[in-house]
Amino acid sequence: MAEPVVKAEGVHKSFGRLEVLKGISMAVNQGEVFVLIGPSGSGKSTLLRCINHLEEINAGRIWVDGDLIGYRQVGEKLHELRDSEIVTARAKIGMVFQHFNLFPHMTALENVALAPRTVLDRSADEARRRAAELLKRVGLADKADEYPARLSGGQQQRVAIARALAMDPKVMLFDEVTSALDPELVKDVLDVMRELAKLGMTMVVVTHEMGFAREVANQVIFMDEGVIVEQGAPEQVIRSPREERTKRFLGLVLER
Amino acid sequence: MQEEATQPGSPQRIEAVPVRHPGRWIGAAIVALIAASLIRSAIDNPNFHWDVVGNYLFDQRILNGVVKTIELTVLGMVIGVVLGVVFAVMRLSPNWLIRGSSWSYIWAFRGTPLLVQILFWNFIAALYPSIDLGIPFGPSFIHLNANDFITPFIAGMLALALNEGAYMAEIVRAGIISVEEGQTEAAKALGMTRGQTMRYIVLPQAMRVIIPPTGNETISMLKNSSLVSVIAVPELLYSAQLIYSQNFQQIPLLIVVSIWYLAMTTVLSIGQYFLERHYGRGRMRDEPMTLFEQIRSGWGARHADPDELIGRHGDQSGGGAL
């Protein structure tokens, strides 16, 4: 079998005295949708942020597309990567945030076209053409020239997805992307994600949308207090969980 | 504001008799009376010497002073802004020595009066008779005689610039930290370098916070440049002082000076308005009104609805909380 796109081994992460990740190992294969569920504070968002080096890990290793994240291994020793090297690695990883984080001083189109132009050195024309294409794909062709403040939350989040896709990432990370949305706007965003999954995009998704997880995920991990409690196919983890903690959590979430 | 469009079936528009405000009318009458008497005295009192004001308003010496004042303001401000950006970035450095030196600079230059700093620079030659530029403790490449190099103009400009740098550093720093962390993170996640993130994401958004106080600083700088008259730099005020030391027409010449300062600060205020508008784009749901529109709606809105004003203001700040 081919090398996994994302691989983590024994990942530990602490904020001061608080240990948030206590030895996480996982592998996400090409084209897989990998869903992380768990109560807030369980470390799932932190794990996502470690994958693209927004957080530095304290122990363990993470590889994306075969490259070690954050370090270069020379013999037994790890050397910190320089900023420019970290940046190159990050460009392969798309990330979508809970609060969209669109650039408010740029139009939707400029938001999508900026990074391809500055990071990938594409021409302005090409970047804009491709941005327009991507906005069309997320159903926002008519909003290209709007500033984020004039878009709904759901529309902003779809622009954010288009912005991440513009970098042609090897893997997309989704950090609770529907949590800040009004209920009626959630579906549009999930539809875009379903479409992406169908097209074979490798995705790591932190979410509370159990319906989405059951339908789209290839693998589900339930995390609690910094460890993986249960892992498997969605049918198994969500429908018939073995662990008590998983059952309790799902009971609370599915009750709504 | 556009409430005219009544929907079908909506209740009839209220046409109530407005409440009278006799107190306001009496107050307005008193103010008008005082204003009228002040204007009358300005016209009647011969000591104003308006003819002298007219004679000197475009006097060559005054115009030269205006040019010097503008030079001092522009140079002081440009150097001040550059220093401000440098020291602001230094203050945000993870290295404590860099952070500390920036803090010390701001502490020293904000903590002493500008007038003292101006005098200090004027007498710098007494402290350092010669200025050598080169490697510290090593060879020097440029040798300058302080007395020749630090002319009163240079001394005044340096004092204004270094003082301004300290204030600008705090303004720029406030602007940079006002940009949400999520913005830097999004830029990082897209693979942008620190430099690119600063240039394309942080500074353009910080500008919205930096521009208004910088406009105020420029206006202050223009006025504070009059302080360098104490070291005999022939800017606007000193030029006028030179004239009235000979003809003893102090009041008319000070009026000339004031007219010029007012004219220049007015121009700066207008420029500031357009800059703020430019950097505020994308922040408001409604495009901001042009100056003309604002004046027009100002005429129309004699009974401005306070809720409307608050609502508009709330929109401006609310736009940032994406």
Side-chain angles (χ1 to χ4, degrees):
Chain A
M1 199 161 148
E3 183 85 346
V5 180
V6 180
K7 195 166 92 174
E9 265 180 26
V11 171
H12 285 258
K13 168 68 189 174
S14 303
F15 292 108
R17 283 223 194 117
L18 182 71
E19 196 173 25
V20 184
L21 298 178
K22 302 169 184 167
I24 300 283
S25 298
M26 58 181 248
V28 183
N29 293 313
Q30 176 69 47
E32 233 176 18
V33 177
F34 197 97
V35 171
L36 301 168
I37 59 172
S40 61
S42 59
K44 43 196 199 315
S45 286
T46 306
L47 177 59
L48 215 58
R49 294 163 59 82
C50 289
I51 293 175
N52 71 349
H53 207 54
L54 283 180
E55 305 286 354
E56 257 171 57
I57 59 177
N58 304 116
R61 303 270 195 281
I62 297 176
W63 292 266
V64 172
D65 198 28
D67 294 330
L68 196 57
I69 287 293
Y71 305 93
R72 188 179 334 106
Q73 190 154 12
V74 182
E76 282 296 288
K77 264 198 173 156
L78 288 185
H79 296 255
E80 274 185 24
L81 290 185
R82 268 171 308 184
D83 273 355
S84 57
E85 296 168 309
I86 293 173
V87 155
T88 318
R90 274 203 196 113
K92 290 196 283 189
I93 308 168
M95 184 156 185
V96 186
F97 299 87
Q98 182 177 359
H99 295 289
F100 332 134
N101 299 351
L102 288 184
F103 307 130
H105 57 302
M106 300 180 183
T107 63
L109 190 83
E110 289 165 352
N111 262 277
V112 181
L114 176 68
R117 221 153 44 79
T118 55
V119 180
L120 303 178
D121 280 328
R122 299 231 174 103
S123 74
D125 276 351
E126 196 193 339
R128 291 177 72 85
R129 196 173 40 75
R130 175 115 167 84
E133 221 173 270
L134 284 165
L135 284 175
K136 196 174 156 201
R137 223 169 104 190
V138 297
L140 294 172
D142 54 329
K143 301 288 183 191
D145 294 325
E146 293 285 8
Y147 285 99
R150 292 172 62 105
L151 299 176
S152 76
Q155 291 169 337
Q156 289 191 48
Q157 194 58 294
R158 285 184 280 154
V159 174
I161 293 174
R163 180 174 69 174
L165 288 174
M167 297 296 287
D168 298 321
K170 288 270 175 357
V171 55
M172 287 278 284
L173 311 177
F174 291 88
D175 188 6
E176 297 199 29
V177 295
T178 54
S179 302
L181 296 179
D182 292 336
E184 77 272 21
L185 303 175
V186 169
K187 189 179 169 292
D188 289 340
V189 173
L190 290 182
D191 282 346
V192 169
M193 290 168 69
R194 276 192 194 97
E195 194 59 35
L196 271 181
K198 226 181 271 171
L199 292 170
M201 175 62 76
T202 310
M203 294 158 65
V204 183
V205 183
V206 171
T207 188
H208 292 296
E209 299 291 335
M210 293 305 147
F212 174 80
R214 222 161 27 199
E215 180 196 347
V216 182
N218 301 99
Q219 279 195 74
V220 175
I221 277 184
F222 172 69
M223 278 178 75
D224 194 14
E225 295 182 346
V227 295
I228 294 175
V229 177
E230 196 163 350
Q231 174 171 10
E235 283 306 310
Q236 186 246 305
V237 178
I238 297 174
R239 277 279 167 74
S240 47
R242 274 184 297 244
E243 298 288 330
E244 205 46 51
R245 273 195 281 181
T246 319
K247 283 179 197 162
R248 211 178 325 128
F249 171 74
L250 287 169
L252 289 171
V253 175
L254 296 173
E255 240 169 48
R256 290 191 303 160
Chain B
M1 260 176 251
Q2 291 100 9
E3 254 83 80
E4 312 301 343
T6 45
Q7 285 152 4
S10 69
Q12 205 187 359
R13 213 183 149 76
I14 295 174
E15 304 277 0
V17 179
V19 176
R20 308 278 168 212
H21 297 284
R24 268 184 222 168
W25 283 106
I26 295 169
I30 294 171
V31 170
L33 202 68
I34 295 171
S37 65
L38 283 176
I39 291 169
R40 210 186 81 136
S41 87
I43 297 166
D44 280 6
N45 188 338
N47 295 331
F48 273 101
H49 289 295
W50 290 104
D51 53 324
V52 181
V53 172
N55 285 343
Y56 281 101
L57 194 55
F58 296 103
D59 186 279
Q60 193 55 47
R61 286 164 291 179
I62 293 291
L63 292 182
N64 289 343
V66 169
V67 171
K68 271 276 183 296
T69 289
I70 292 172
E71 279 174 16
L72 279 170
T73 307
V74 170
L75 285 171
M77 211 53 212
V78 168
I79 299 172
V81 167
V82 171
L83 286 174
V85 173
V86 169
F87 281 102
V89 173
M90 282 171 71
R91 270 215 73 181
L92 297 168
S93 162
N95 183 305
W96 70 267
L97 192 65
I98 294 177
R99 211 166 52 230
S101 56
S102 169
W103 182 88
S104 314
Y105 165 80
I106 294 167
W107 172 74
F109 282 88
R110 258 191 354 167
T112 51
L114 178 55
L115 186 53
V116 174
Q117 289 176 33
I118 289 169
L119 292 168
F120 214 96
W121 281 99
N122 192 40
F123 296 120
I124 197 73
L127 189 59
Y128 295 107
S130 73
I131 299 165
D132 293 278
L133 294 180
I135 299 162
F137 309 109
S140 106
F141 306 124
I142 301 171
H143 177 85
L144 296 166
N145 184 335
N147 250 331
D148 300 336
F149 177 64
I150 308 282
T151 61
F153 181 82
I154 298 276
M157 188 206 67
L158 275 177
L160 290 171
L162 287 165
N163 182 258
E164 191 52 44
Y167 284 95
M168 282 309 300
E170 289 295 90
I171 290 169
V172 173
R173 186 176 74 106
I176 290 174
I177 59 182
S178 78
V179 178
E180 277 178 83
E181 214 181 330
Q183 294 288 309
T184 337
E185 264 184 5
K188 268 193 199 171
L190 287 167
M192 292 169 73
T193 61
R194 270 171 217 255
Q196 288 171 334
T197 306
M198 255 302 162
R199 178 172 157 206
Y200 295 110
I201 308 302
V202 176
L203 284 181
Q205 292 185 64
M207 282 307 216
R208 201 175 54 90
V209 175
I210 294 172
I211 291 285
T214 304
N216 295 340
E217 287 294 312
T218 311
I219 289 170
S220 295
M221 168 75 86
L222 184 82
K223 294 182 295 176
N224 285 340
S225 68
S226 63
L227 286 173
V228 306
S229 60
V230 299
I231 56 171
V233 178
E235 43 69 67
L236 180 52
L237 177 59
Y238 191 68
S239 305
Q241 286 174 326
L242 283 178
I243 297 170
Y244 71 57
S245 67
Q246 285 165 9
N247 67 6
F248 303 106
Q249 299 282 5
Q250 288 92 343
I251 293 294
L253 277 153
L254 288 173
I255 290 173
V256 166
V257 167
S258 302
I259 289 172
W260 274 108
Y261 277 119
L262 273 174
M264 288 189 281
T265 51
T266 305
V267 170
L268 285 177
S269 307
I270 294 170
Q272 179 181 11
Y273 168 82
F274 282 104
L275 268 178
E276 279 177 32
R277 222 170 85 95
H278 175 76
Y279 283 102
R281 75 191 187 285
R283 283 286 168 175
M284 282 167 266
R285 274 162 203 268
D286 302 313
E287 280 299 301
M289 285 187 287
T290 62
L291 187 61
F292 180 65
E293 281 170 344
Q294 267 184 6
I295 291 167
R296 216 173 37 182
S297 79
W299 285 117
R302 269 173 307 173
H303 300 285
D305 179 355
D307 286 341
E308 181 102 32
L309 293 173
I310 292 164
R312 200 174 166 76
H313 182 79
D315 239 17
Q316 288 185 2
S317 52
L322 290 172

